[in-house]
Amino acid sequence: MTIAVSPQALPALVLNADYRPLSYYPLSLWSWQDAIKAVFLDRVNIIAEYDHSVCSPSFSMKLPSVVSLKTYVQPTRNPAFTRFNVFLRDKFECQYCGEHDELTFDHVIPRAHGGETTWENVVAACSPCNLRKGSKLPKQAQMFPHQKPYAPSVQDLHNNGRLFPPNYLHESWMDYLYWDTELQP
């Protein structure tokens, strides 16, 4: 799964005040209009620019390709429990068969058996596996998730997000992406 980013849209990569992206997945991007507005409101520093400019009768400005916030935004400690984040934790694959299409989510211990809708009981599942398992317990259905469901950290989701890069990364962004990953010898 990839996020469609159009080079023609000239988006700006948004970095926190510590020069790390606000988010890796989805990659923290602003439209060029939002980036210019933030420049005029003095909320960001321009780090890199495109060759393309916008002009008015009395003003011309190169479009920012990388901006950093002037004020540090504290990252969230615990990711939101959302369908998307469950899929990201499970790397967009069914935890029963490994399929990537028709994803939904499954309660490992079904609600009919007292299972709760929590990180520790929900996994990504394709529709056919979800229907096959139904409201049976894993042992009854002989269906066990490949990985035990867990509450991921923000870092877990960032690491998994790196496996699904956008279809377009501007060259000016490369110095600011993935710089906190371990270097290979």
Side-chain angles (χ1 to χ4, degrees), residues 74-80 152-155:
Q74 186 69 36
T76 58
R77 293 190 188 277
N78 300 313
S153 67
V154 170
Q155 190 62 43

Side-chain angles (χ1 to χ4, degrees), residues 142-169:
Q142 286 300 297
M143 294 176 70
F144 304 93
H146 294 166
Q147 117 182 317
K148 186 176 188 219
Y150 66 98
S153 67
V154 170
Q155 190 62 43
D156 291 334
L157 296 183
H158 280 318
N159 290 341
N160 286 356
R162 290 182 178 125
L163 300 172
F164 306 94
N167 64 326
Y168 169 76
L169 296 171

Side-chain angles (χ1 to χ4, degrees), residues 3 11 19 22 34 40 53 86 90 101 103 107 144 148 156 158 160 163 171:
I3 298 294
Y19 286 75
L22 290 176
D34 288 339
F40 279 102
S53 297
V86 168
D90 295 346
D101 295 327
L103 286 183
H107 291 79
F144 304 93
K148 186 176 188 219
D156 291 334
H158 280 318
N160 286 356
L163 300 172
E171 62 189 36

Side-chain angles (χ1 to χ4, degrees), residues 83 87 92-94 99-105 124-127:
R83 180 183 302 259
F87 292 167
F92 295 95
E93 66 181 34
C94 174
E99 180 61 51
H100 294 273
D101 295 327
E102 296 185 62
L103 286 183
T104 181
F105 66 88
C126 67
S127 289

Side-chain angles (χ1 to χ4, degrees), residues 96 108-110 133 135-145:
Y96 299 112
V108 177
I109 305 300
K133 183 172 172 284
S135 62
K136 297 178 196 144
L137 293 168
K139 192 169 184 169
Q140 293 170 319
Q142 286 300 297
M143 294 176 70
F144 304 93

